[in-house]
Amino acid sequence: AQSVTQLGSHVSVSEGALVLLRCNYSSSVPPYLFWYVQYPNQGLQLLLKYTSAATLVKGINGFEAEFKKSETSFHLTKPSAHMSDAAEYFCAVSDWYGNEKLTFGTGTRLTIIP
Amino acid sequence: GAGVSQSPRYKVAKRGQDVALRCDPISGHVSLFWYQQALGQGPEFLTYFQNEAQLDKSGLPSDRFFAERPEGSVSTLKIQRTQQEDSAVYLCASSSREMTVFPATNEKLFFGSGTQLSVL
């Protein structure tokens, strides 16, 4: 069975600082991995997804994530945090070969300090 | 429509009541998913429809949960005899991709804002 673990339920960074949200996965098949963002009272929005085409995946709003098989990690980064990045972020893994039956992590709440 | 629409936005039920939650997916989307998100947790898969066919209901927590999509568009999630542990946000999502098609393409999964169910 597939699973993901998000390290740190709350992360605070200063505006303009590096954002690093951690995600480790466990999968019995080559994984498809996702990062979603959830703003208050809004639905989940896809930031980016890894589909084995390239290990460094670029997403929307300046976010990117790197797939590292040796570390079973898929950490999300952004070079410079913006106030609008404050939200809940979820890492997820697909059931098999890219379908949308996703297993989500418990989420990381990102707070931006002015 | 412009996005996935869910109604009601909030639902308060007394324990033992039946509730029905509605999802209007994006027009033309063949795939529809229901997820349950408990407070402080990530969403958990409940069930999947491809058009009107319910292909996967492995995530439904009990036989009190029932979902349907009779005409392949609007879907309803029904919970009978609600219990306090049913309190959660219920998310609906749709996609233009059939889940059984390989390999995965670049279609995205679009989520609604959810229905927050509180069982008292």
Side-chain angles (χ1 to χ4, degrees), chain A residues 32 36 38 41-46 49 51 88 90 95-107, chain B residues 9-10 33 35 37 40-43 45 56 58 91 95 97 99-100 102 104-109 111-113:
Chain A
Y32 278 44
Y36 280 84
Q38 188 175 38
N41 299 315
Q42 294 187 28
L44 290 158
Q45 181 182 3
L46 180 67
K49 66 178 181 181
T51 59
E88 186 95 20
F90 292 94
D95 187 19
W96 39 264
Y97 294 103
N99 73 55
E100 289 83 3
K101 182 180 178 181
L102 301 174
T103 299
F104 286 87
T106 52
Chain B
R9 183 69 182 90
Y10 302 94
F33 295 79
Y35 283 83
Q37 185 175 15
Q41 301 297 315
F45 171 82
D56 189 336
S58 61
L91 298 170
S95 168
R97 189 177 85 88
M99 193 171 81
T100 53
F102 294 102
T105 55
N106 287 324
E107 284 87 350
K108 296 194 306 184
L109 191 61
F111 281 84
S113 299

Side-chain angles (χ1 to χ4, degrees), chain B:
Chain B
V4 178
S5 178
Q6 292 188 247
S7 61
R9 183 69 182 90
Y10 302 94
K11 177 68 178 178
V12 178
K14 292 183 179 178
R15 189 175 55 174
Q17 278 186 330
D18 297 348
V19 298
L21 312 180
R22 177 187 170 101
C23 172
D24 279 274
I26 293 173
S27 178
H29 277 192
V30 298
S31 291
L32 186 145
F33 295 79
W34 283 98
Y35 283 83
Q36 179 191 57
Q37 185 175 15
L39 185 64
Q41 301 297 315
E44 292 190 358
F45 171 82
L46 292 177
T47 187
Y48 164 71
F49 288 87
Q50 183 168 298
N51 296 306
E52 69 278 3
Q54 189 175 20
L55 299 186
D56 189 336
K57 54 182 181 180
S58 61
L60 295 177
S62 77
D63 58 7
R64 296 186 295 104
F65 286 70
F66 172 76
E68 61 183 5
R69 193 185 185 198
E71 298 179 357
S73 56
V74 171
S75 177
T76 303
L77 177 66
K78 298 180 179 178
I79 308 173
Q80 297 176 325
R81 305 181 303 282
T82 53
Q83 304 294 315
Q84 284 190 321
E85 60 263 29
D86 300 335
S87 296
V89 176
Y90 291 85
L91 298 170
C92 176
S94 70
S95 168
S96 60
R97 189 177 85 88
E98 295 178 359
M99 193 171 81
T100 53
V101 172
F102 294 102
T105 55
N106 287 324
E107 284 87 350
K108 296 194 306 184
L109 191 61
F110 292 86
F111 281 84
S113 299
T115 293
Q116 184 172 326
L117 173 65
S118 298
V119 181
L120 306 179

Side-chain angles (χ1 to χ4, degrees), chain A residues 23-26 67-75:
Chain A
C23 174
N24 288 89
Y25 71 90
S26 173
F67 174 75
K68 292 186 176 181
K69 184 177 180 180
S70 61
E71 299 178 6
T72 61
S73 69
F74 190 59
H75 301 331

